[in-house]
Amino acid sequence: MSSLGALRFHASVSLLGRAALRLDRLRTEHKLARMKSAGPHLGPPLMTSGWLKELISRHYLTGRYVRGVRKVAWVTSGAPVEHLKALGYYLMYPENHGAVCGIRRWGERQCLAAEDAGYSRDLCSYARTDFGTVLSGQTPVGRLPPPDLLVCCNNICQTVLYWYQVLAHHFQVPLVLIDTPFLYTEARPHMLAFVRKQIDAAVEVAERTAGRSLAPARLEEVMRLSHEAIGLWLKIMQTGRNRPAPITAFDEFIHMAPIVEMRGEESTVAYYRALLAELEERTRRGVGALQAERKRLLWDNLPIWYRLRPLSESLAARGVALVASTYTNAWGELVERIDPTRPLDSMAEVYLHPILNRGTGHKLATMARMLKEYQADGVLLHSDRSCKPYSVGQMDQQRRLAGELGAPALLLDADHNDPRAYSEEQAENRLQAFLEVLGA
Amino acid sequence: MPNEIHVPSRREAIRAQVQSGGGLAAVFPYHPPRALLRAHGLLPVEVWGPPGRSSSRGDAHLQPYTCSLVRAGLSFLLEGGLDQARVVLVPHGCDSLQGLGSVLLDFVKPAPPVLTCYLPRGDRALDRAFLADELRELDARLAAALGTRPDEAALLAAVEREERADQALGELLEGRARVGLGEEAFYRLVRSREYLPAEDFAALAGRALAAPAASARPARTPLVVSGLVPEPMALLSVLEAAGATVTGDDLACSGRRRYRPTQGPEPFARMSEGMLSGPPDSTRGASVEARLQHLRQLARAAGARGVVFLTLKFCEPELYYLPQLREGLAQDGVRALSLEVDLAEALPAPLVTRLEAFVETLR
Ligand code: SF4
Ligand code: SF4
């Protein structure tokens, strides 16, 4: 680490940055406290939103100045990271950054930059957003630190494998692949053993790149923090089972950022404790996320990042609350599989089992269970042009939901980050017809 | 004479197998464990679409943004095209094949049992060990479905038969110039590896190579063809009419399945090693460098100054590296043309024009 770099980091991040962000949080909290509602048909805003903003801003601010101060790993959203955290890596999640670009309406321009460089429009829009960012050097968060290490786990899709190979070619840094056999049915012992061995190999590469050894006690501590944050996140989502729901999936899409990119940290645990307390308080007082909740729906697949707000408003205007989503649920449902005292074994177990690494029947069973638990009246299935692993199977799932399970379900065509694949008019018409059927 | 070589059709191969009392396995691309299926008495017949047919039945299960190979394959199955099969095998090669396997198992549930097999995306020792275990599991599932239990000797014999056929495929591709068949006819011969019994294919390839060329073919522009499958096959005739010949094969259905021979007493270890030994392939997660280096070598060896990339719409595995591959080849003075095809459609006229123009620029 150069002393100049360290100095710049401490001045910009640890001192000035932190102070400025704290001030901004206080201002935001002050503003939120005076707001009666988060939108014309929405309930009061979540007070912890200011804290969330501070956490996310600090994460990206750290990234701006971290080069040369800490090792940087770019990782896929489903990758095992606890060993990297324990080794002191700064973690960059291109998918999360993609979501930030999507929300801030940068998705299309980043995708176009990638397409101009020859990448097909048929590639996942997260990958295109990332390539566009890397090639243009432009991002709404200021600057991304280049990676010293790439860690790719294909437990969410195979697309990340090619995406990260392209990054490895571009940055000329080591790429660690954690290959997780797809679970058409149940995990078999040889699959678990395969993933476990790869985690050992991944630890070795991470140690070599970091130039230090993994301390078992520190790994256990990180695992404990991950476990606690995941447990809290699950409880947060489960408050949506109340009527009225104090939180919707739209809120969760935003508040999930720390569980993806900051798990294993004290600050994440503290933040989720506060969010849970706020939601429990809302529940006690009967305060809903909507001013008037009449119908409850389940969401399947990634959000449509660039339409979050309008979609949320449009549903709220009809009294429809999205009380849960399979997407946000994925970061909580595996809590039982974590045993912090067996960190590496737990990692193999957990990272083999995300919903995206399991069969289409498993997803239907998950939706059926969630429909009951959340007393939802139907399902909105986002048919995401960019995400085949999440979307393939939805046509049969829709039929089963509507048929045997008696839950009306709508397939909504879009793309999570590329607005060119979304027709507002068509979506609105289909949604309206669906809500009429629901009686909303 | 080479033009006397009769390449049995899929239908003929299927009929012969059924008449001999053997069973059929309908197998989706890309790297099926052929030896294992043969040892269980099944002839693996690969399902590449088939091309030129409507995918409408499949469209009821798969969104339009899945590739035509998978949608056409599912349609074919739903139309009863795979009814004769005793098992359907869907090896895991990409997100679309993963989705297909899962939808078949969970929702479509066709009459023949659906089996899957995960192909690891690396070729480290641990990947080979994993694949050997995966094949042992598949062996057990085949035994449960069919009641067959091939012993080690039968498994090893099957491995060796397939290895001879793989070697014959390699010799055929290497000996392209000696085989006096036109481009389309040559690829019909090469692609009979997708459905003929290994020993029949090896014999056929041997005959083609041994037969004297009908007449010296005029000098042609050498080309490398890359992609999954040369469909529509009429593309090859267009190439030929334009004065080109395929001297470098980087196709997933042929050149990328030139597996190396293996040794050893343990059949599953040999199958695994063999299946992971082929040239760099997108569906096995090869790196950009490995793919580029392989293409460069192919172009050099083939004396080719052009590479035609045949891609299927929505096929991410083949689309991701195109910018890097084109750039790397350009550094060697090798031009590239990407053509996007749809298995369900006939050859579009603009594509023909682009291909002809490309060959012209290489002269
Ligand atoms: S959106 Fe889907 S395809 Fe894209 S990286 Fe995520 S899981 Fe993979
Ligand atoms: S590799 Fe490409 S063409 Fe083949 S099944 Fe997958 S997406 Fe389709």
Side-chain angles (χ1 to χ4, degrees):
Chain A
M1 182 199 313
S2 80
S3 45
L4 191 65
L7 202 65
R8 201 173 53 221
F9 182 83
H10 288 299
S12 309
V13 179
S14 310
L15 299 172
L16 296 174
R18 271 174 195 258
L21 292 175
R22 180 54 52 90
L23 197 66
D24 187 51
R25 171 175 154 189
L26 293 174
R27 261 198 233 114
T28 307
E29 284 172 353
H30 186 65
K31 200 169 104 193
L32 291 171
R34 284 180 302 159
M35 283 168 70
K36 282 214 170 63
S37 70
H41 304 279
L42 297 171
L46 286 166
M47 286 301 294
T48 31
S49 300
W51 190 344
L52 175 70
K53 194 171 156 206
E54 182 190 19
L55 277 183
I56 297 175
S57 304
R58 200 168 71 204
H59 177 71
Y60 283 111
L61 179 71
T62 305
R64 274 181 92 144
Y65 295 97
V66 79
R67 192 173 188 186
V69 179
R70 282 160 65 188
K71 290 290 179 191
V72 175
W74 286 24
V75 294
T76 56
S77 63
V81 289
E82 283 71 15
H83 62 297
L84 298 170
K85 282 261 173 210
L87 281 164
Y89 278 82
Y90 171 81
L91 301 184
M92 227 297 286
Y93 285 78
E95 291 154 76
N96 278 41
H97 173 258
V100 171
C101 291
I103 293 170
R104 305 230 192 135
R105 312 284 171 94
W106 275 57
E108 183 171 346
R109 87 159 87 158
Q110 305 290 51
C111 286
L112 278 168
E115 288 159 31
D116 284 347
Y119 292 99
S120 165
R121 192 170 163 177
D122 293 333
L123 303 183
C124 165
S125 52
Y126 268 167
R128 279 180 288 140
T129 302
D130 190 40
F131 294 157
T133 303
V134 168
L135 293 170
S136 68
Q138 294 186 343
T139 153
V141 303
R143 191 172 52 226
L144 300 184
D148 300 293
L149 179 68
L150 294 160
V151 180
C152 168
C153 183
N154 56 352
N155 58 0
I156 49 171
C157 65
Q158 301 307 312
T159 233
V160 288
L161 177 56
Y162 307 108
W163 171 358
Y164 275 61
Q165 294 279 17
V166 169
L167 291 178
H169 180 74
H170 179 87
F171 288 111
Q172 293 293 309
V173 294
L175 164 63
V176 173
L177 166 66
I178 297 167
D179 187 8
T180 46
F182 184 74
L183 306 181
Y184 292 95
T185 51
E186 294 305 315
R188 311 282 302 142
H190 72 286
M191 296 173 170
L192 262 170
F194 179 50
V195 178
R196 178 68 175 79
K197 279 186 213 152
Q198 292 179 84
I199 288 175
D200 285 342
V203 169
E204 272 177 44
V205 179
E207 286 180 328
R208 221 175 20 249
T209 307
R212 66 164 101 150
S213 302
L214 184 61
R218 175 71 186 129
L219 177 64
E220 255 187 54
E221 170 66 2
V222 171
M223 203 66 191
R224 187 190 60 72
L225 291 168
S226 266
H227 184 225
E228 195 174 347
I230 292 170
L232 286 164
W233 176 243
L234 185 65
K235 285 190 183 141
I236 285 164
M237 291 186 289
Q238 287 171 344
T239 62
R241 293 177 181 176
N242 294 291
R243 275 181 192 268
I247 184 169
T248 68
F250 289 113
D251 303 310
E252 291 171 12
F253 293 148
I254 303 295
H255 288 264
M256 72 189 285
I259 201 61
V260 182
E261 59 194 355
M262 297 171 222
R263 59 183 183 276
E265 293 180 20
E266 285 281 6
S267 52
T268 301
V269 170
Y271 162 70
Y272 280 138
R273 271 200 205 114
L275 176 57
L276 180 61
E278 183 178 6
L279 293 169
E280 284 171 342
E281 174 60 18
R282 273 190 177 209
T283 305
R284 239 184 331 272
R285 292 180 13 236
V287 175
L290 266 59
Q291 285 172 21
E293 177 188 301
R294 287 189 290 276
K295 292 285 173 187
R296 299 159 66 87
L297 291 180
L298 178 65
W299 178 270
D300 181 52
N301 215 329
L302 279 86
I304 306 170
W305 289 116
Y306 48 91
R307 298 303 294 163
L308 273 190
R309 181 88 194 175
L311 205 53
S312 146
E313 292 280 4
S314 157
L315 289 174
R318 290 150 161 133
V320 177
L322 274 194
V323 288
S325 88
T326 55
Y327 180 64
T328 48
N329 188 57
W331 270 273
E333 66 180 347
L334 299 178
V335 69
E336 300 285 319
R337 292 185 187 266
I338 304 174
D339 175 355
T341 63
R342 296 167 41 247
L344 296 174
D345 292 337
S346 273
M347 280 157 77
E349 169 81 19
V350 169
Y351 291 103
L352 183 59
H353 280 91
I355 192 166
L356 274 175
N357 203 43
R358 306 194 67 178
T360 47
H362 173 79
K363 177 140 80 78
L364 177 65
T366 303
M367 286 194 275
R369 199 190 62 236
M370 290 178 78
L371 271 166
K372 265 198 212 127
E373 288 170 351
Y374 288 82
Q375 302 161 63
D377 303 295
V379 187
L380 283 181
L381 302 128
H382 167 202
S383 174
D384 185 346
R385 185 184 186 275
S386 262
C387 187
K388 290 175 195 68
Y390 219 135
S391 306
V392 170
Q394 282 177 325
M395 299 175 85
D396 284 286
Q397 288 156 356
Q398 180 198 26
R399 278 190 288 272
R400 297 286 174 105
L401 286 164
E404 290 147 42
L405 295 163
L410 176 75
L411 266 185
L412 202 59
D413 288 308
D415 182 296
H416 61 272
N417 237 33
D418 187 345
R420 291 169 297 170
Y422 179 71
S423 157
E424 182 76 52
E425 197 184 320
Q426 195 191 60
E428 189 53 33
N429 286 342
R430 284 176 59 75
L431 202 54
Q432 198 161 340
F434 176 69
L435 296 179
E436 270 167 30
V437 171
L438 264 186
Chain B
M1 299 295 280
N3 50 6
E4 284 171 9
I5 288 173
H6 169 67
V7 179
S9 66
R10 263 186 167 73
R11 202 181 295 260
E12 286 169 329
I14 290 171
R15 198 181 310 128
Q17 171 75 359
V18 173
Q19 276 169 2
S20 70
L24 299 167
V27 175
F28 281 82
Y30 287 89
H31 299 281
R34 289 176 175 136
L36 181 59
L37 296 165
R38 282 300 299 286
H40 278 270
L42 301 176
L43 174 69
V45 177
E46 298 184 16
V47 185
W48 291 80
R53 297 172 68 111
S54 153
S55 62
S56 58
R57 300 273 309 260
D59 296 348
H61 299 270
L62 301 171
Q63 283 97 329
Y65 47 81
T66 43
C67 71
S68 53
L69 193 149
V70 156
R71 276 183 296 126
L74 178 56
S75 283
F76 190 54
L77 179 144
L78 294 168
E79 286 160 8
L82 308 182
D83 282 359
Q84 276 178 292
R86 303 217 29 216
V87 299
V88 175
L89 177 67
V90 190
H92 190 292
C94 64
D95 290 328
S96 301
L97 283 166
Q98 166 186 304
L100 173 70
S102 197
V103 164
L104 284 176
L105 278 167
D106 295 334
F107 301 118
V108 176
K109 300 183 177 163
V114 175
L115 303 174
T116 56
C117 172
Y118 189 82
L119 197 73
R121 300 313 199 254
D123 51 9
R124 306 159 287 187
L126 61 89
D127 296 307
R128 290 191 287 276
F130 167 78
L131 182 56
D133 283 340
E134 189 73 350
L135 295 172
R136 284 184 196 103
E137 293 252 336
L138 185 57
D139 177 51
R141 280 183 283 152
L142 283 164
L146 307 166
T148 42
R149 280 183 182 69
D151 60 16
E152 203 161 277
L155 288 164
L156 280 172
V159 168
E160 276 161 16
R161 267 199 308 272
E162 295 300 330
E163 290 189 351
R164 280 194 292 275
D166 292 335
Q167 197 182 338
L169 173 71
E171 286 164 4
L172 196 57
L173 293 172
E174 295 283 332
R176 169 72 190 102
R178 283 191 285 132
V179 182
L181 293 172
E183 299 300 311
E184 214 175 314
F186 178 73
Y187 267 94
R188 286 199 196 289
L189 170 62
V190 166
R191 295 192 59 199
S192 64
R193 178 79 180 103
E194 294 166 19
Y195 55 84
L196 282 182
E199 55 282 15
D200 293 1
F201 174 79
L204 193 63
R207 280 207 299 283
L209 283 163
S215 58
R217 299 207 312 153
R220 299 187 158 271
T221 307
L223 271 183
V224 174
V225 175
S226 176
L228 300 167
V229 62
E231 292 287 0
M233 290 284 275
L235 259 172
L236 295 163
S237 294
V238 172
L239 265 178
E240 185 169 2
T245 180
V246 180
T247 48
D249 180 312
D250 177 49
L251 291 163
C253 69
S254 41
R256 294 188 208 165
R257 298 202 290 193
R258 292 179 61 176
Y259 308 115
R260 285 197 297 271
T262 60
Q263 286 189 327
E266 213 289 309
F268 294 102
R270 285 184 65 175
M271 285 180 218
S272 161
E273 191 187 332
M275 285 168 69
L276 298 181
S277 73
D281 181 18
S282 58
T283 67
R284 290 198 296 108
S287 67
V288 176
E289 280 77 11
R291 291 278 305 122
L292 179 57
Q293 196 166 332
H294 179 63
L295 276 170
R296 279 179 155 157
Q297 267 167 9
L298 271 181
R300 223 173 291 135
R305 284 186 295 120
V307 176
V308 177
F309 290 98
L310 294 175
T311 56
L312 288 182
K313 185 143 179 74
F314 301 116
C315 173
E316 288 188 297
E318 287 291 297
L319 289 171
Y320 261 96
Y321 302 171
L322 277 183
Q324 286 79 13
L325 299 182
R326 294 178 74 111
E327 190 189 323
L329 289 167
Q331 284 166 7
D332 291 357
V334 176
R335 292 173 192 224
L337 172 73
S338 312
L339 298 177
E340 191 171 86
V341 291
D342 186 312
L343 273 188
E345 288 171 9
L347 192 56
L351 220 124
V352 172
T353 314
R354 287 181 59 209
L355 194 52
E356 287 168 345
F358 181 67
V359 174
E360 236 167 73
T361 63
L362 299 177
R363 288 215 187 98

